[in-house]
Amino acid sequence: MSDSANPGGWLELAVQCDMEAVEPVAELFARYGYNEGVVIEEPFTQDGDGDNLKVDPSRPVMVRTFLAVADAKPEDIESVRQALWYLGRMRHVGDLAVTTRQEEDWANAWKSHYSVHRIGNKTTVKAPWHEYEPAEGEVVIELDPGMAFGTGLHPTTRLCLTMLEDYLKPGQTVIDVGTGSGVLAIAAVMHGAASVDAVDIEPVAVRSTRENAARNGLEGRIAVEEGSVGPGEPFQGEYDLVLANIIARILIDLRDGLVAAVKPGGTLVLSGVIEPREPAVLDAFDAAGLNLVNRDQIEDWIALVYHKPA
Ligand code: SAH
């Protein structure tokens, strides 16, 4: 694995801004950043039981990009500074921090949130600006860490992905409920699904999944719609494999729709269940006539795999 293709070191540009300023700042950074890469670090809040994971709009967002030192012209940095100053007259935009990073610093600074990550047993996620040589049989997903949840790093995503690797057979049909960045839907196609449908109630997730599908050359292989599962929702079919990485409360709310989406003989993977809520999820899905066939845990997070009797 090479951490980057740039031997000359990097300039990191970083600025804190409020939520309304994120898009214009990210657009500005993308114009100058290496391979148009931008990272948006949003402050999250979450209840003690893992419920209500959401962005906290009251705290500032950090936006970063990296320029290869060899390409970084002083007048470009000046242009960025000036553009930020204009934006700062309408929104809250902090001062631009410019930091030189040696290769190791840069690699380390990014390891914690986004660079190249093995997220399953044979699936790796990488940022667009990284070079990576896959091992044989390994699948590499290129994801731009945009505004939607799902860089592949969260334990719930890793759990769901490992189950996908274990249960998906080539040629099967899949639906990914709560697709976020589309990471699981993309992985499903790359691991041999015949067709993949994906839904999310957030428009930003639908957009981001479409972009990420295209980025991986999979447009036309994943159908993405805004919505969920259940009556009146975009997809009414039955699938060999249903993936839902959301949270316990919503999984329980969506139970009937999720169960109806599984073909007889098919598999349902539930992820996003925080430990104290596991009994409630087990109760709900046992009562729906499914058989629990697998369970795995990373930290406080649990994934459950159910089989629907044929
Ligand atoms: N599948 C991705 C993202 C999981 S985050 C991954 O595994 O990394 C959960 C996603 O579910 C969020 O994008 C959220 O918008 C979406 N979501 C929340 N409630 C939903 C519902 N009722 N129906 C469909 N999607 C929902």
Side-chain angles (χ1 to χ4, degrees), residues 149-150 157 176-180 183-184 200-202 227-228 245-246 250 254:
F149 184 100
T157 309
D176 179 16
V177 183
T179 194
V183 57
L184 298 174
D200 201 292
I201 54 171
E202 293 292 340
S228 187
N245 176 18
I246 314 185
I250 296 174
L254 295 180

Side-chain angles (χ1 to χ4, degrees), residues 227-286:
S228 187
V229 282
E233 296 297 343
F235 299 107
Q236 292 296 323
E238 288 184 328
Y239 301 83
D240 295 303
L241 182 63
V242 177
L243 305 169
N245 176 18
I246 314 185
I247 55 168
R249 176 175 53 81
I250 296 174
L251 293 172
I252 293 170
D253 284 352
L254 295 180
R255 182 194 66 182
D256 293 347
L258 288 170
V259 171
V262 188
K263 255 187 205 168
T267 305
L268 170 65
V269 179
L270 303 178
S271 190
V273 178
I274 195 101
E275 206 171 9
R277 304 299 311 278
E278 185 184 13
V281 176
L282 288 171
D283 282 351
F285 285 83
D286 285 350

Side-chain angles (χ1 to χ4, degrees), residues 154-209:
H154 200 267
T156 63
T157 309
R158 281 151 49 206
L159 284 165
C160 212
L161 193 95
T162 311
M163 295 302 185
L164 184 164
E165 291 175 344
D166 288 350
Y167 287 89
L168 177 70
K169 296 185 189 68
Q172 290 191 327
T173 57
V174 177
I175 187 166
D176 179 16
V177 183
T179 194
S181 62
V183 57
L184 298 174
I186 292 167
V189 176
M190 290 186 169
H191 284 295
S195 73
V196 178
D197 293 339
V199 285
D200 201 292
I201 54 171
E202 293 292 340
V204 64
V206 173
R207 250 193 341 263
S208 152
T209 297

